[in-house]
Amino acid sequence: MRKTVFALFALAVLTACGVDGEPVQPTLNAGIGVGDSGVHVGGAVGLHKGPVSVFLGF
């Protein structure tokens, strides 16, 4: 739960970077996997601005 809250906070911060009108494209990827060892949840938040991309995975 703590990771989810942190990820949503990070996405909000990354989205706020585009407030000045610059073309910023935030992204959010999430997934759930089920295997022999149990259920796994993961994802990433990212920011694209021109040729630069920054991602934070969890």
Side-chain angles (χ1 to χ4, degrees), residues 2 4 12-13 16-18 21-22 31 35 39 46 48 54 56:
R2 199 162 112 180
T4 302
V13 169
C17 293
E22 301 265 339
V39 177
H48 299 283
V54 178
L56 174 65

Side-chain angles (χ1 to χ4, degrees), residues 18-46:
V19 172
D20 61 351
E22 301 265 339
V24 177
Q25 299 174 341
T27 60
L28 172 65
N29 297 320
I32 298 174
V34 179
D36 294 336
S37 60
V39 177
H40 304 281
V41 179
V45 291

